[in-house]
Amino acid sequence: MEKSKTTTPDVFIESLPAGVRESIAEIDGVISTAMPDASRTLWEGRFWGGTDQRIIGYGDYSYRGSDGRVGEWFVIGLASQKNHLSLYVNAADAGGNLIARYASRLGKVKAGSAVLNFRSADEIDMEVLRELVVASEAAASREAS
């Protein structure tokens, strides 16, 4: 996966079908407001499971893989899948995985270890989403220090 050199997040959002576009735009607004100084980039390419993806990434996150190579990624990612929306959270703090801590308060979501899946923005408590985003950015900043 790599950062898009041709498509901005705004152009990507505008290209989405009605219904999905409004949900992604609403969540994008919450994340962008909660992380006002973070980068906002469209990531494109072959993702886990071999599927082509387009993910709006917020913030910058560097990691070292098990092979020792350093990679670049996002702190928060937002994607439209075939049957749902996904929010990726690549941050943890001393208490562990942030998704596990916030999932029960977010609304009608299915939580994995680093992803939340849901059908639309209407299923998400936006105030709790804002809390999760702020906590994720803070955790990522502490990790980078």
Side-chain angles (χ1 to χ4, degrees), residues 16-35:
L16 294 169
V20 172
R21 179 177 50 247
E22 291 80 8
S23 282
I24 291 285
E26 182 178 352
I27 296 165
D28 173 69
V30 170
I31 297 169
S32 296
T33 301
M35 296 176 73

Side-chain angles (χ1 to χ4, degrees), residues 1 44-55 80-82 88:
M1 235 184 177
E44 298 179 295
R46 191 143 310 248
F47 206 50
W48 301 292
T51 59
D52 288 328
Q53 297 276 337
R54 298 172 99 188
I55 301 172
S80 172
Q81 311 296 346
K82 183 177 180 180
Y88 300 96

Side-chain angles (χ1 to χ4, degrees), residues 3 9 26 30-31 42 48 66 76 79 91 98 109 114 121 123 135 137-138:
K3 292 180 180 180
E26 182 178 352
V30 170
I31 297 169
L42 185 67
W48 301 292
S66 58
I76 301 280
L98 293 173
V109 301
E123 296 182 342
E137 184 176 39

Side-chain angles (χ1 to χ4, degrees), residues 70-128:
V70 174
E72 184 181 346
W73 206 227
F74 46 78
V75 176
I76 301 280
L78 176 61
S80 172
Q81 311 296 346
K82 183 177 180 180
N83 297 314
H84 60 273
L85 305 178
S86 295
L87 185 75
Y88 300 96
V89 179
N90 297 309
D93 62 14
N97 181 316
L98 293 173
I99 284 181
R101 194 168 328 135
Y102 285 87
S104 66
R105 296 177 43 222
L106 273 163
K108 191 174 176 182
V109 301
K110 180 180 175 189
S113 62
V115 65
L116 294 166
N117 295 316
F118 48 94
R119 294 202 185 278
S120 74
D122 295 342
E123 296 182 342
I124 302 293
D125 182 319
M126 293 300 163
E127 223 17 75
V128 177

